[in-house]
Amino acid sequence: MDLQHISLISFGYFDADLLRNIAEAVKKEFLLEVYLREGHMDLSEFYDPTRRQYNGVKLIRELEESFSSDSSKTIGLFNVDLFIPILTYIFDQAFLGGRTGIASSYRLSNERYGINSDSVIFHKRYEKEVIHELGHTFGLIHCHIPTCVMRSSTYVEDIDQKEAHLCPGCRSGYNKTLRQL
């Protein structure tokens, strides 16, 4: 792979400040150029009416086939409720060591849990999850350090406990991977 940049592709409406904040956080963490662009696809083919959610496995495969390239790591940004067959829901997912990942903001807002709106918390959660999935595309696995962005998150409270940064061990793994690209 001749990695040159990271692409963040928004599918649906997102606040411009949110997208800029995510792009800046990603650039700061991975030290690569970040390009924001809009994407369009018919999401209805990924909708499972029985679950009333969108199939993350099918969605990431479509993103990989239609929007990814060998010159970038690509993350699709969505605002739909995602699932994979073995889990009730997911925030995001990526191909480990691959080119592509997806991240959804659907379950990241306080309002979803009956708590007062907080745009700062919402932005930080989404930044962390995008950085987390990009880490997976660079071959990083889940980390046991509680504050590392690569720590697994089952609930939003887990996301809140993490920083938006790689711990020293994960940083070392990222740097090693980057040298090999």
Side-chain angles (χ1 to χ4, degrees):
M1 176 183 268
D2 183 23
L3 183 65
Q4 298 174 2
H5 63 275
I6 294 170
S7 291
L8 302 178
I9 307 173
S10 62
F11 293 89
Y13 173 77
F14 287 95
D15 178 72
D17 287 339
L18 171 65
L19 295 175
R20 274 194 300 278
N21 290 345
I22 291 172
E24 288 173 16
V26 166
K27 182 176 182 176
K28 182 178 178 182
E29 194 59 28
F30 292 101
L31 305 174
L32 291 168
E33 284 300 316
V34 177
Y35 298 116
L36 281 168
R37 59 188 182 124
E38 288 184 24
H40 303 282
M41 71 169 79
D42 180 5
L43 294 181
S44 66
E45 62 188 86
F46 307 102
Y47 185 72
D48 183 322
T50 306
R51 293 182 69 140
R52 294 186 290 167
Q53 292 175 293
Y54 293 80
N55 188 317
V57 174
K58 292 179 180 178
L59 190 56
I60 195 172
R61 285 185 185 144
E62 178 62 27
L63 190 71
E64 170 79 12
E65 290 175 21
S66 300
F67 294 91
S68 293
S69 76
D70 286 338
S71 65
S72 73
K73 299 289 186 180
T74 302
I75 300 291
L77 305 176
F78 296 90
N79 187 21
V80 296
D81 196 12
L82 299 173
F83 77 94
I84 59 174
I86 63 169
L87 294 175
T88 305
Y89 67 89
I90 59 171
F91 298 119
D92 40 48
Q93 69 174 348
F95 291 122
L96 186 63
R99 307 181 302 181
T100 310
I102 58 176
S104 177
S105 63
Y106 185 83
R107 290 181 178 263
L108 299 180
S109 69
N110 278 353
E111 300 91 323
R112 178 112 6 242
Y113 306 98
I115 303 169
N116 290 336
S117 175
D118 189 324
S119 62
V120 172
I121 289 174
F122 172 73
H123 283 215
K124 288 295 180 192
R125 286 174 180 161
Y126 209 17
E127 286 173 16
K128 292 173 191 179
E129 290 308 284
V130 170
I131 291 169
H132 178 94
E133 291 312 315
L134 278 164
H136 285 319
T137 67
F138 286 104
L140 300 178
I141 59 173
H142 287 149
C143 181
H144 69 279
I145 305 295
T147 57
C148 181
V149 75
M150 292 309 299
R151 178 89 178 195
S152 179
S153 298
T154 304
Y155 306 104
V156 291
E157 294 86 356
D158 299 330
I159 300 168
D160 294 341
Q161 293 175 3
K162 301 189 293 190
E163 299 291 327
H165 307 290
L166 300 171
C167 71
C170 290
R171 168 68 57 204
S172 176
Y174 168 71
N175 289 337
K176 181 179 177 184
T177 299
L178 200 57
R179 284 191 299 273
Q180 296 171 351
L181 295 179

